[in-house]
Amino acid sequence: MTRRTAIVTGSTSGIGHDIARRLHADGFNVVITGRDEERGRQVRAQLGAHATFIALDLTADGAPAALTDAAIDTYGRLDVVVNNAAQDHTGDLLDVPLKDIRQVFEVNTLAAIAVLQEGAKRMHHGGAIINISSRLASIGVPTMSIYSATKGAINALTTAAAVELADRNIRVNAVAPGMTRTPLYDAWVNDQADPEQTERDVVADIPLGRLAAPGDVAAAVSFLASEEANYITGACLPIDGGYTAR
């Protein structure tokens, strides 16, 4: 059986790292991407055979095309793209400089669109594109308006691209994680005046009573990338323990 190939952007840490590991365990060739070469080499060494690391900044001119070309050059085909790379942002809405807004949209939305475009052009056997959205695309949280807007655009992109790319047999879906225990979350909670109480408050708002683990998100991506999901397109799957269902 021919081994399929997946690109996972922003896969040198956090959720992206777990997605790369899961798809590799599922039998994919995995192209790892990120700007941190040392972490990228570490992830590549952990995965071993059938994995490669491409160091690049997806906002640079030509970077999405270079990434997708590298996947074809290395493995001969491209079947799955996971748009995970993103930049966090917090700030009072009325005080956020326009240059900062542009930067967050450049990373979270425009780069994802470019990777989707370049990936879809090279999916000669059909394929699956999975965008990593956020619960924040569906709810309002003070100081998170700009980040939320970038992820709302990703949700709109997902549904529109699913319709437009259907005749190419390319499925486009999204997953929307809630609070997930990543290094970024740990840094945030540890910066609070009372980290333990802050976490208790966070968990109290989640019907299933716990934070997501990166593996929970990776499992959803694994399913959407699989042939078992071959009639699912245009969906956004919440991975939030029921938070947005309240």
Side-chain angles (χ1 to χ4, degrees):
M1 181 176 178
T2 302
R3 183 180 286 265
R4 295 191 294 160
T5 299
I7 290 172
V8 184
T9 68
S11 45
T12 59
S13 65
I15 290 172
H17 182 193
D18 273 57
I19 293 171
R21 289 196 303 174
R22 177 60 185 260
L23 293 180
H24 189 265
D26 289 344
F28 282 86
N29 301 312
V30 176
V31 179
I32 308 150
T33 74
R35 290 179 289 185
D36 189 317
E37 293 195 32
E38 182 177 351
R39 288 194 312 199
R41 287 193 296 268
Q42 290 172 353
V43 175
R44 161 66 182 83
Q46 290 169 9
L47 296 186
H50 306 294
T52 191
F53 171 64
I54 308 295
L56 44 71
D57 177 351
L58 290 172
T59 67
D61 289 344
L67 171 63
T68 49
D69 281 342
I72 298 293
D73 292 345
T74 304
Y75 297 115
R77 60 185 291 157
L78 178 59
D79 304 274
V80 170
V81 169
V82 183
N83 260 321
N84 171 75
Q87 176 180 318
D88 195 23
H89 181 273
T90 59
D92 292 337
L93 175 60
L94 302 186
D95 297 327
V96 182
L98 186 57
K99 65 179 181 62
D100 292 354
I101 297 172
R102 287 194 176 107
Q103 173 63 23
V104 181
F105 268 89
E106 189 76 35
V107 175
N108 294 6
T109 306
L110 300 183
I113 292 171
V115 171
L116 180 150
Q117 290 175 315
E118 299 297 340
K121 291 174 185 176
R122 293 160 177 79
M123 288 181 171
H124 303 306
H125 309 277
I129 296 171
I130 301 144
N131 297 319
I132 307 303
S133 181
S134 170
R135 66 174 185 148
L136 294 169
S138 303
I139 63 168
V141 172
T143 76
M144 298 298 296
S145 293
I146 303 306
Y147 181 86
S148 298
T150 69
K151 293 302 186 177
I154 288 296
N155 285 6
L157 171 69
T158 297
T159 52
V163 173
E164 190 161 352
L165 299 180
D167 63 355
R168 292 174 174 258
N169 194 31
I170 296 173
R171 298 181 296 105
V172 187
N173 293 292
V175 299
M179 280 289 204
T180 305
R181 191 177 295 283
T182 64
L184 191 64
Y185 168 83
D186 289 339
W188 170 77
V189 77
N190 289 331
D191 194 44
Q192 305 306 302
D194 187 342
E196 292 184 1
Q197 184 59 50
T198 297
E199 180 153 321
R200 284 193 292 269
D201 292 343
V202 168
V203 170
D205 280 339
I206 301 171
L208 286 184
R210 68 171 178 88
L211 296 171
D216 295 322
V217 183
V221 171
S222 170
F223 169 67
L224 290 172
S226 74
E227 294 182 0
E228 293 179 336
N230 65 8
Y231 200 61
I232 300 174
T233 195
C236 182
L237 184 61
I239 314 297
D240 62 9
Y243 183 92
T244 53
R246 295 174 309 158

